[in-house]
Amino acid sequence: MFTVDDIKKIEWIQVEPEPLGGDLAEDLGRIINKFIKFGLNDWWQQKGFAKESKSEYLSLKSPFDRGVRQAVYMAKAIISAVKFKFYNESAVGHKLYVARDRYMKLIRSCLYHHISNSEYGWGGTSEHLAVATELLFVCHLVWDKLNIRDKEYAVNLLNFEVEKAMEESIEYNYNPDGSENGGDCKTIKNMDIANLLYLAGSMINKSAAVEKLKEKAILTYRACFSTLEEGDMAGYNVGDDKIIRRFETRSPFATSYIGKGMKAFIFSKIAEQDLPSGAIRNFEEIYKAFYSYEIDGAGKKKGLFTIYDKKSRPCGGVLYPDGLKGGRVNESSLYVMDIFAYCLGYENANDINSREWARVRMKFMESSFKNNAKFALQGCNQYRYIHGEAVCSELSDCYLALFLHLVAKQTENNFIDKFSREEYEENDQ
């Protein structure tokens, strides 16, 4: 399908990494360096990686959550700090070259153990799709540092996951008549597929095949946050109250997926492309609805929807009384929504400014990390498959988005939304 020669290197001349000033970036830099300190010291030792330092690849012997997910997320945090020059040697306790050596070891090992490169490896299910996207993204960030075998492994992974994603159908929480489709949230699945395909299209040089990837990504993004009124799809995913459902339950976790559009924002800025409009479709309405259910105008919790699971906190999160099946959403996911709202110009969409909410949530996250260093990998320390990002990965996205919004060469946001379902199916004939 695609080869190493098809991957285009990021032109950092246009997006020159440099330390980013300002309170939001300083907060992020400080806590991400704390996560990295934990990762390069306690976590590295706990995993037994110090004993494997002379091996070509780390074993990653553990269930998926504890192995591959954590390795990818920690590599992403380290790479973000190093690449964007806010890595703090004195705070972390390791020289820069140690950080570089270890993130390369992590991503090379994750590539090697993927099912496309190793028999009985990880990957190939919808649960793994978001992590495969993260791994491809960090590979792209340091593409010039990978050797030819690493690049071949990365392209094998890309081809394997893209081929499966292109076969997936777009799904909806609601049918055109308003009846609900049960089961897991279709927005979650759609967003993970769209992010993978859009990233792949951004990484690869122009070709007819790339255009097909982008067309599928654009259509899938459009479906993620579509409503009945928009009427251009075979169904829709957001109900009248703008709170997204999961397992027929109002879900804070599924609703927080509007923050996942930040990934498309980052990919598009780095590639100097326009952002697909579907990635932020109805963002302001969903964002405002979430806060109107959670918080009153004075900033106090209304208690109508929000319950804090104190028993498992700080590794717990916001729950809805509708039931556990709605999913738990962590403060970092809400922080992503706040930072993304700021980047999109929706800073004052709610009674309380999104920057203010971000600062409040950051204090909570720092407090949680102080009480439990594994908070960096929140949600990924259980023997079970789950969606959701580790905190260190989500906050790395926030830093990159802030940098690209404030510093990078600005691409005009003529949001791409040019493919209708009919056009796509016609082209597919």
Side-chain angles (χ1 to χ4, degrees), residues 274-316:
D274 292 323
L275 177 67
S277 64
I280 60 166
R281 194 174 204 176
N282 297 314
F283 181 97
E284 186 173 12
E285 290 78 6
I286 296 170
Y287 181 65
K288 290 174 69 174
F290 184 93
Y291 273 95
S292 68
Y293 280 116
E294 186 187 12
I295 305 296
D296 67 17
K300 296 181 180 179
K301 299 184 184 303
K302 293 165 62 174
L304 177 62
F305 283 94
T306 306
I307 291 180
Y308 282 93
D309 180 10
K310 296 178 181 178
K311 185 176 180 179
S312 62
R313 232 160 153 71
C315 288

mmCIF file of all heavy atoms in Angstrom, residues 274-316:
data_model
loop_
_atom_site.group_PDB
_atom_site.id
_atom_site.type_symbol
_atom_site.label_atom_id
_atom_site.label_comp_id
_atom_site.label_asym_id
_atom_site.label_seq_id
_atom_site.Cartn_x
_atom_site.Cartn_y
_atom_site.Cartn_z
ATOM 1 N N ASP A 274 -5.954 22.674 6.158
ATOM 2 C CA ASP A 274 -7.156 23.177 6.803
ATOM 3 C C ASP A 274 -7.793 22.080 7.649
ATOM 4 O O ASP A 274 -7.708 20.893 7.336
ATOM 5 C CB ASP A 274 -8.154 23.676 5.748
ATOM 6 C CG ASP A 274 -7.649 24.913 5.038
ATOM 7 O OD1 ASP A 274 -7.011 25.744 5.712
ATOM 8 O OD2 ASP A 274 -7.883 25.055 3.833
ATOM 9 N N LEU A 275 -8.427 22.494 8.718
ATOM 10 C CA LEU A 275 -9.032 21.564 9.661
ATOM 11 C C LEU A 275 -10.390 21.085 9.159
ATOM 12 O O LEU A 275 -11.228 21.898 8.794
ATOM 13 C CB LEU A 275 -9.207 22.273 11.012
ATOM 14 C CG LEU A 275 -9.896 21.503 12.133
ATOM 15 C CD1 LEU A 275 -9.035 20.326 12.570
ATOM 16 C CD2 LEU A 275 -10.171 22.428 13.310
ATOM 17 N N PRO A 276 -10.626 19.771 9.137
ATOM 18 C CA PRO A 276 -11.959 19.282 8.767
ATOM 19 C C PRO A 276 -13.011 19.830 9.722
ATOM 20 O O PRO A 276 -12.875 19.732 10.944
ATOM 21 C CB PRO A 276 -11.827 17.759 8.900
ATOM 22 C CG PRO A 276 -10.375 17.483 8.777
ATOM 23 C CD PRO A 276 -9.684 18.657 9.391
ATOM 24 N N SER A 277 -14.056 20.402 9.183
ATOM 25 C CA SER A 277 -15.054 21.057 10.034
ATOM 26 C C SER A 277 -15.748 20.078 10.969
ATOM 27 O O SER A 277 -16.164 20.444 12.067
ATOM 28 C CB SER A 277 -16.100 21.758 9.161
ATOM 29 O OG SER A 277 -16.816 20.819 8.384
ATOM 30 N N GLY A 278 -15.865 18.814 10.555
ATOM 31 C CA GLY A 278 -16.554 17.837 11.388
ATOM 32 C C GLY A 278 -15.872 17.605 12.722
ATOM 33 O O GLY A 278 -16.508 17.204 13.692
ATOM 34 N N ALA A 279 -14.548 17.859 12.786
ATOM 35 C CA ALA A 279 -13.811 17.636 14.028
ATOM 36 C C ALA A 279 -14.258 18.586 15.131
ATOM 37 O O ALA A 279 -14.051 18.302 16.314
ATOM 38 C CB ALA A 279 -12.315 17.788 13.779
ATOM 39 N N ILE A 280 -14.870 19.713 14.746
ATOM 40 C CA ILE A 280 -15.358 20.657 15.760
ATOM 41 C C ILE A 280 -16.840 20.958 15.546
ATOM 42 O O ILE A 280 -17.350 21.978 15.997
ATOM 43 C CB ILE A 280 -14.551 21.965 15.735
ATOM 44 C CG1 ILE A 280 -14.662 22.655 14.374
ATOM 45 C CG2 ILE A 280 -13.105 21.707 16.086
ATOM 46 C CD1 ILE A 280 -14.180 24.094 14.390
ATOM 47 N N ARG A 281 -17.525 20.071 14.866
ATOM 48 C CA ARG A 281 -18.934 20.293 14.570
ATOM 49 C C ARG A 281 -19.744 20.401 15.864
ATOM 50 O O ARG A 281 -19.654 19.543 16.748
ATOM 51 C CB ARG A 281 -19.462 19.127 13.738
ATOM 52 C CG ARG A 281 -20.807 19.384 13.083
ATOM 53 C CD ARG A 281 -21.172 18.239 12.159
ATOM 54 N NE ARG A 281 -22.097 18.677 11.128
ATOM 55 C CZ ARG A 281 -22.521 17.898 10.142
ATOM 56 N NH1 ARG A 281 -22.103 16.654 10.061
ATOM 57 N NH2 ARG A 281 -23.355 18.359 9.244
ATOM 58 N N ASN A 282 -20.508 21.485 15.993
ATOM 59 C CA ASN A 282 -21.345 21.725 17.172
ATOM 60 C C ASN A 282 -20.542 21.780 18.469
ATOM 61 O O ASN A 282 -21.083 21.554 19.554
ATOM 62 C CB ASN A 282 -22.444 20.656 17.288
ATOM 63 C CG ASN A 282 -23.404 20.691 16.115
ATOM 64 O OD1 ASN A 282 -23.864 21.754 15.720
ATOM 65 N ND2 ASN A 282 -23.698 19.532 15.549
ATOM 66 N N PHE A 283 -19.240 22.085 18.355
ATOM 67 C CA PHE A 283 -18.393 22.109 19.552
ATOM 68 C C PHE A 283 -18.952 23.065 20.603
ATOM 69 O O PHE A 283 -19.107 22.706 21.775
ATOM 70 C CB PHE A 283 -16.958 22.523 19.195
ATOM 71 C CG PHE A 283 -16.024 22.556 20.376
ATOM 72 C CD1 PHE A 283 -15.199 21.489 20.652
ATOM 73 C CD2 PHE A 283 -15.977 23.651 21.245
ATOM 74 C CE1 PHE A 283 -14.344 21.504 21.756
ATOM 75 C CE2 PHE A 283 -15.139 23.679 22.345
ATOM 76 C CZ PHE A 283 -14.320 22.602 22.602
ATOM 77 N N GLU A 284 -19.241 24.282 20.200
ATOM 78 C CA GLU A 284 -19.672 25.284 21.173
ATOM 79 C C GLU A 284 -20.962 24.858 21.872
ATOM 80 O O GLU A 284 -21.097 25.002 23.095
ATOM 81 C CB GLU A 284 -19.858 26.645 20.502
ATOM 82 C CG GLU A 284 -20.175 27.755 21.489
ATOM 83 C CD GLU A 284 -20.185 29.126 20.845
ATOM 84 O OE1 GLU A 284 -20.169 29.202 19.588
ATOM 85 O OE2 GLU A 284 -20.204 30.117 21.580
ATOM 86 N N GLU A 285 -21.909 24.313 21.115
ATOM 87 C CA GLU A 285 -23.183 23.902 21.693
ATOM 88 C C GLU A 285 -23.002 22.750 22.690
ATOM 89 O O GLU A 285 -23.594 22.736 23.765
ATOM 90 C CB GLU A 285 -24.157 23.489 20.586
ATOM 91 C CG GLU A 285 -24.659 24.615 19.719
ATOM 92 C CD GLU A 285 -23.649 25.062 18.668
ATOM 93 O OE1 GLU A 285 -22.593 24.398 18.542
ATOM 94 O OE2 GLU A 285 -23.921 26.067 17.984
ATOM 95 N N ILE A 286 -22.165 21.771 22.309
ATOM 96 C CA ILE A 286 -21.936 20.618 23.192
ATOM 97 C C ILE A 286 -21.155 21.051 24.434
ATOM 98 O O ILE A 286 -21.453 20.639 25.557
ATOM 99 C CB ILE A 286 -21.190 19.500 22.431
ATOM 100 C CG1 ILE A 286 -22.058 18.979 21.279
ATOM 101 C CG2 ILE A 286 -20.815 18.357 23.372
ATOM 102 C CD1 ILE A 286 -21.329 18.057 20.321
ATOM 103 N N TYR A 287 -20.172 21.901 24.237
ATOM 104 C CA TYR A 287 -19.347 22.402 25.337
ATOM 105 C C TYR A 287 -20.198 23.177 26.344
ATOM 106 O O TYR A 287 -20.110 22.962 27.563
ATOM 107 C CB TYR A 287 -18.258 23.291 24.741
ATOM 108 C CG TYR A 287 -17.277 23.881 25.724
ATOM 109 C CD1 TYR A 287 -16.408 23.073 26.453
ATOM 110 C CD2 TYR A 287 -17.190 25.257 25.893
ATOM 111 C CE1 TYR A 287 -15.486 23.620 27.332
ATOM 112 C CE2 TYR A 287 -16.272 25.821 26.762
ATOM 113 C CZ TYR A 287 -15.421 24.997 27.480
ATOM 114 O OH TYR A 287 -14.509 25.546 28.351
ATOM 115 N N LYS A 288 -21.046 24.051 25.836
ATOM 116 C CA LYS A 288 -21.922 24.827 26.716
ATOM 117 C C LYS A 288 -22.915 23.923 27.432
ATOM 118 O O LYS A 288 -23.187 24.091 28.627
ATOM 119 C CB LYS A 288 -22.661 25.894 25.906
ATOM 120 C CG LYS A 288 -21.771 27.018 25.417
ATOM 121 C CD LYS A 288 -22.508 27.966 24.494
ATOM 122 C CE LYS A 288 -23.549 28.772 25.216
ATOM 123 N NZ LYS A 288 -24.144 29.793 24.323
ATOM 124 N N ALA A 289 -23.446 22.938 26.723
ATOM 125 C CA ALA A 289 -24.428 22.030 27.331
ATOM 126 C C ALA A 289 -23.802 21.226 28.454
ATOM 127 O O ALA A 289 -24.412 21.033 29.519
ATOM 128 C CB ALA A 289 -24.998 21.096 26.268
ATOM 129 N N PHE A 290 -22.588 20.763 28.242
ATOM 130 C CA PHE A 290 -21.914 19.983 29.280
ATOM 131 C C PHE A 290 -21.795 20.793 30.565
ATOM 132 O O PHE A 290 -22.116 20.319 31.656
ATOM 133 C CB PHE A 290 -20.527 19.548 28.814
ATOM 134 C CG PHE A 290 -19.814 18.658 29.797
ATOM 135 C CD1 PHE A 290 -19.905 17.283 29.693
ATOM 136 C CD2 PHE A 290 -19.078 19.193 30.847
ATOM 137 C CE1 PHE A 290 -19.266 16.460 30.610
ATOM 138 C CE2 PHE A 290 -18.440 18.384 31.772
ATOM 139 C CZ PHE A 290 -18.532 17.009 31.650
ATOM 140 N N TYR A 291 -21.338 22.033 30.437
ATOM 141 C CA TYR A 291 -21.157 22.867 31.622
ATOM 142 C C TYR A 291 -22.483 23.301 32.234
ATOM 143 O O TYR A 291 -22.582 23.467 33.447
ATOM 144 C CB TYR A 291 -20.286 24.079 31.298
ATOM 145 C CG TYR A 291 -18.823 23.780 31.447
ATOM 146 C CD1 TYR A 291 -18.056 23.388 30.361
ATOM 147 C CD2 TYR A 291 -18.207 23.845 32.689
ATOM 148 C CE1 TYR A 291 -16.712 23.090 30.501
ATOM 149 C CE2 TYR A 291 -16.865 23.544 32.839
ATOM 150 C CZ TYR A 291 -16.119 23.169 31.748
ATOM 151 O OH TYR A 291 -14.792 22.860 31.894
ATOM 152 N N SER A 292 -23.487 23.485 31.414
ATOM 153 C CA SER A 292 -24.778 23.889 31.971
ATOM 154 C C SER A 292 -25.393 22.767 32.801
ATOM 155 O O SER A 292 -26.122 23.021 33.758
ATOM 156 C CB SER A 292 -25.744 24.299 30.854
ATOM 157 O OG SER A 292 -26.109 23.186 30.057
ATOM 158 N N TYR A 293 -25.076 21.516 32.449
ATOM 159 C CA TYR A 293 -25.544 20.395 33.251
ATOM 160 C C TYR A 293 -24.698 20.219 34.510
ATOM 161 O O TYR A 293 -25.185 19.826 35.559
ATOM 162 C CB TYR A 293 -25.501 19.092 32.439
ATOM 163 C CG TYR A 293 -26.664 18.929 31.514
ATOM 164 C CD1 TYR A 293 -26.476 18.902 30.140
ATOM 165 C CD2 TYR A 293 -27.949 18.801 32.012
ATOM 166 C CE1 TYR A 293 -27.547 18.755 29.272
ATOM 167 C CE2 TYR A 293 -29.032 18.651 31.152
ATOM 168 C CZ TYR A 293 -28.815 18.628 29.783
ATOM 169 O OH TYR A 293 -29.883 18.490 28.943
ATOM 170 N N GLU A 294 -23.400 20.529 34.388
ATOM 171 C CA GLU A 294 -22.497 20.242 35.496
ATOM 172 C C GLU A 294 -22.420 21.384 36.516
ATOM 173 O O GLU A 294 -22.359 21.158 37.719
ATOM 174 C CB GLU A 294 -21.080 19.962 34.972
ATOM 175 C CG GLU A 294 -20.140 19.510 36.076
ATOM 176 C CD GLU A 294 -18.698 19.393 35.616
ATOM 177 O OE1 GLU A 294 -18.368 19.859 34.519
ATOM 178 O OE2 GLU A 294 -17.906 18.858 36.397
ATOM 179 N N ILE A 295 -22.420 22.627 36.028
ATOM 180 C CA ILE A 295 -22.087 23.769 36.867
ATOM 181 C C ILE A 295 -23.145 24.853 36.726
ATOM 182 O O ILE A 295 -23.637 25.113 35.631
ATOM 183 C CB ILE A 295 -20.713 24.351 36.440
ATOM 184 C CG1 ILE A 295 -19.626 23.264 36.463
ATOM 185 C CG2 ILE A 295 -20.312 25.513 37.327
ATOM 186 C CD1 ILE A 295 -19.334 22.696 37.825
ATOM 187 N N ASP A 296 -23.457 25.539 37.828
ATOM 188 C CA ASP A 296 -24.370 26.670 37.701
ATOM 189 C C ASP A 296 -23.584 27.953 37.436
ATOM 190 O O ASP A 296 -22.351 27.939 37.390
ATOM 191 C CB ASP A 296 -25.263 26.805 38.940
ATOM 192 C CG ASP A 296 -24.488 27.185 40.194
ATOM 193 O OD1 ASP A 296 -23.333 27.651 40.082
ATOM 194 O OD2 ASP A 296 -25.050 27.028 41.293
ATOM 195 N N GLY A 297 -24.273 29.046 37.234
ATOM 196 C CA GLY A 297 -23.629 30.294 36.846
ATOM 197 C C GLY A 297 -22.639 30.817 37.862
ATOM 198 O O GLY A 297 -21.720 31.551 37.513
ATOM 199 N N ALA A 298 -22.809 30.442 39.142
ATOM 200 C CA ALA A 298 -21.893 30.892 40.187
ATOM 201 C C ALA A 298 -20.683 29.968 40.321
ATOM 202 O O ALA A 298 -19.845 30.156 41.195
ATOM 203 C CB ALA A 298 -22.631 30.966 41.519
ATOM 204 N N GLY A 299 -20.603 28.966 39.445
ATOM 205 C CA GLY A 299 -19.469 28.056 39.483
ATOM 206 C C GLY A 299 -19.605 26.931 40.478
ATOM 207 O O GLY A 299 -18.648 26.212 40.757
ATOM 208 N N LYS A 300 -20.806 26.718 41.036
ATOM 209 C CA LYS A 300 -21.020 25.651 41.995
ATOM 210 C C LYS A 300 -21.627 24.430 41.314
ATOM 211 O O LYS A 300 -22.390 24.562 40.366
ATOM 212 C CB LYS A 300 -21.948 26.131 43.114
ATOM 213 C CG LYS A 300 -21.354 27.266 43.951
ATOM 214 C CD LYS A 300 -22.304 27.680 45.059
ATOM 215 C CE LYS A 300 -21.697 28.801 45.892
ATOM 216 N NZ LYS A 300 -22.603 29.254 46.970
ATOM 217 N N LYS A 301 -21.278 23.263 41.813
ATOM 218 C CA LYS A 301 -21.809 22.033 41.240
ATOM 219 C C LYS A 301 -23.298 21.928 41.548
ATOM 220 O O LYS A 301 -23.715 22.041 42.691
ATOM 221 C CB LYS A 301 -21.044 20.828 41.785
ATOM 222 C CG LYS A 301 -19.566 20.870 41.426
ATOM 223 C CD LYS A 301 -18.854 19.626 41.881
ATOM 224 C CE LYS A 301 -17.360 19.732 41.594
ATOM 225 N NZ LYS A 301 -17.067 19.968 40.201
ATOM 226 N N LYS A 302 -24.073 21.720 40.518
ATOM 227 C CA LYS A 302 -25.521 21.694 40.674
ATOM 228 C C LYS A 302 -26.016 20.389 41.291
ATOM 229 O O LYS A 302 -27.057 20.347 41.929
ATOM 230 C CB LYS A 302 -26.198 21.905 39.311
ATOM 231 C CG LYS A 302 -25.976 23.289 38.732
ATOM 232 C CD LYS A 302 -26.327 23.364 37.258
ATOM 233 C CE LYS A 302 -27.762 23.078 36.963
ATOM 234 N NZ LYS A 302 -28.074 23.298 35.531
ATOM 235 N N GLY A 303 -25.270 19.308 41.069
ATOM 236 C CA GLY A 303 -25.676 18.032 41.618
ATOM 237 C C GLY A 303 -26.703 17.310 40.770
ATOM 238 O O GLY A 303 -27.117 16.210 41.100
ATOM 239 N N LEU A 304 -27.159 17.936 39.675
ATOM 240 C CA LEU A 304 -28.153 17.305 38.826
ATOM 241 C C LEU A 304 -27.546 16.118 38.083
ATOM 242 O O LEU A 304 -28.158 15.061 37.971
ATOM 243 C CB LEU A 304 -28.701 18.331 37.826
ATOM 244 C CG LEU A 304 -29.724 17.807 36.808
ATOM 245 C CD1 LEU A 304 -30.960 17.299 37.533
ATOM 246 C CD2 LEU A 304 -30.104 18.903 35.822
ATOM 247 N N PHE A 305 -26.330 16.300 37.600
ATOM 248 C CA PHE A 305 -25.670 15.229 36.866
ATOM 249 C C PHE A 305 -24.382 14.757 37.541
ATOM 250 O O PHE A 305 -24.040 13.607 37.468
ATOM 251 C CB PHE A 305 -25.318 15.683 35.442
ATOM 252 C CG PHE A 305 -26.489 15.705 34.523
ATOM 253 C CD1 PHE A 305 -27.210 16.858 34.319
ATOM 254 C CD2 PHE A 305 -26.880 14.563 33.857
ATOM 255 C CE1 PHE A 305 -28.300 16.884 33.474
ATOM 256 C CE2 PHE A 305 -27.969 14.567 33.010
ATOM 257 C CZ PHE A 305 -28.682 15.730 32.813
ATOM 258 N N THR A 306 -23.655 15.667 38.138
ATOM 259 C CA THR A 306 -22.307 15.338 38.566
ATOM 260 C C THR A 306 -22.267 14.649 39.916
ATOM 261 O O THR A 306 -22.805 15.145 40.883
ATOM 262 C CB THR A 306 -21.451 16.602 38.642
ATOM 263 O OG1 THR A 306 -21.527 17.271 37.393
ATOM 264 C CG2 THR A 306 -20.006 16.263 38.932
ATOM 265 N N ILE A 307 -21.589 13.510 39.953
ATOM 266 C CA ILE A 307 -21.305 12.822 41.201
ATOM 267 C C ILE A 307 -19.820 12.484 41.181
ATOM 268 O O ILE A 307 -19.298 12.010 40.171
ATOM 269 C CB ILE A 307 -22.112 11.520 41.347
ATOM 270 C CG1 ILE A 307 -23.596 11.843 41.526
ATOM 271 C CG2 ILE A 307 -21.611 10.698 42.528
ATOM 272 C CD1 ILE A 307 -24.458 10.624 41.668
ATOM 273 N N TYR A 308 -19.126 12.722 42.250
ATOM 274 C CA TYR A 308 -17.717 12.347 42.314
ATOM 275 C C TYR A 308 -17.573 11.010 43.022
ATOM 276 O O TYR A 308 -18.127 10.796 44.098
ATOM 277 C CB TYR A 308 -16.910 13.427 43.035
ATOM 278 C CG TYR A 308 -16.629 14.594 42.157
ATOM 279 C CD1 TYR A 308 -17.481 15.702 42.153
ATOM 280 C CD2 TYR A 308 -15.560 14.582 41.271
ATOM 281 C CE1 TYR A 308 -17.248 16.780 41.312
ATOM 282 C CE2 TYR A 308 -15.322 15.651 40.438
ATOM 283 C CZ TYR A 308 -16.160 16.748 40.461
ATOM 284 O OH TYR A 308 -15.924 17.798 39.621
ATOM 285 N N ASP A 309 -16.869 10.129 42.376
ATOM 286 C CA ASP A 309 -16.645 8.794 42.914
ATOM 287 C C ASP A 309 -15.502 8.880 43.928
ATOM 288 O O ASP A 309 -14.351 8.630 43.604
ATOM 289 C CB ASP A 309 -16.289 7.839 41.767
ATOM 290 C CG ASP A 309 -16.046 6.427 42.247
ATOM 291 O OD1 ASP A 309 -16.342 6.154 43.416
ATOM 292 O OD2 ASP A 309 -15.556 5.613 41.452
ATOM 293 N N LYS A 310 -15.827 9.227 45.163
ATOM 294 C CA LYS A 310 -14.801 9.499 46.160
ATOM 295 C C LYS A 310 -14.025 8.247 46.551
ATOM 296 O O LYS A 310 -12.876 8.327 46.969
ATOM 297 C CB LYS A 310 -15.441 10.123 47.396
ATOM 298 C CG LYS A 310 -16.064 11.496 47.115
ATOM 299 C CD LYS A 310 -16.730 12.077 48.356
ATOM 300 C CE LYS A 310 -17.354 13.431 48.038
ATOM 301 N NZ LYS A 310 -18.047 14.007 49.205
ATOM 302 N N LYS A 311 -14.656 7.106 46.430
ATOM 303 C CA LYS A 311 -14.010 5.869 46.855
ATOM 304 C C LYS A 311 -12.743 5.594 46.072
ATOM 305 O O LYS A 311 -11.740 5.144 46.624
ATOM 306 C CB LYS A 311 -14.991 4.700 46.712
ATOM 307 C CG LYS A 311 -14.453 3.381 47.251
ATOM 308 C CD LYS A 311 -15.502 2.292 47.157
ATOM 309 C CE LYS A 311 -14.962 0.976 47.691
ATOM 310 N NZ LYS A 311 -15.968 -0.095 47.627
ATOM 311 N N SER A 312 -12.760 5.855 44.765
ATOM 312 C CA SER A 312 -11.599 5.538 43.931
ATOM 313 C C SER A 312 -10.826 6.780 43.501
ATOM 314 O O SER A 312 -9.933 6.705 42.701
ATOM 315 C CB SER A 312 -12.044 4.775 42.684
ATOM 316 O OG SER A 312 -12.919 5.570 41.910
ATOM 317 N N ARG A 313 -11.204 7.940 44.049
ATOM 318 C CA ARG A 313 -10.486 9.149 43.702
ATOM 319 C C ARG A 313 -9.107 9.141 44.343
ATOM 320 O O ARG A 313 -8.987 8.638 45.440
ATOM 321 C CB ARG A 313 -11.281 10.384 44.171
ATOM 322 C CG ARG A 313 -11.465 11.353 43.015
ATOM 323 C CD ARG A 313 -12.602 12.294 43.291
ATOM 324 N NE ARG A 313 -12.458 13.552 42.624
ATOM 325 C CZ ARG A 313 -12.585 13.740 41.329
ATOM 326 N NH1 ARG A 313 -12.821 12.716 40.555
ATOM 327 N NH2 ARG A 313 -12.467 14.920 40.803
ATOM 328 N N PRO A 314 -8.035 9.663 43.715
ATOM 329 C CA PRO A 314 -8.061 10.535 42.548
ATOM 330 C C PRO A 314 -8.096 9.816 41.205
ATOM 331 O O PRO A 314 -8.082 10.463 40.175
ATOM 332 C CB PRO A 314 -6.724 11.280 42.674
ATOM 333 C CG PRO A 314 -5.819 10.280 43.304
ATOM 334 C CD PRO A 314 -6.662 9.545 44.281
ATOM 335 N N CYS A 315 -8.135 8.484 41.216
ATOM 336 C CA CYS A 315 -8.209 7.790 39.930
ATOM 337 C C CYS A 315 -9.639 7.614 39.471
ATOM 338 O O CYS A 315 -9.920 6.884 38.520
ATOM 339 C CB CYS A 315 -7.513 6.432 40.018
ATOM 340 S SG CYS A 315 -5.731 6.583 40.123
ATOM 341 N N GLY A 316 -10.541 8.244 40.168
ATOM 342 C CA GLY A 316 -11.927 8.235 39.724
ATOM 343 C C GLY A 316 -12.183 9.422 38.840
ATOM 344 O O GLY A 316 -11.291 9.984 38.243
#
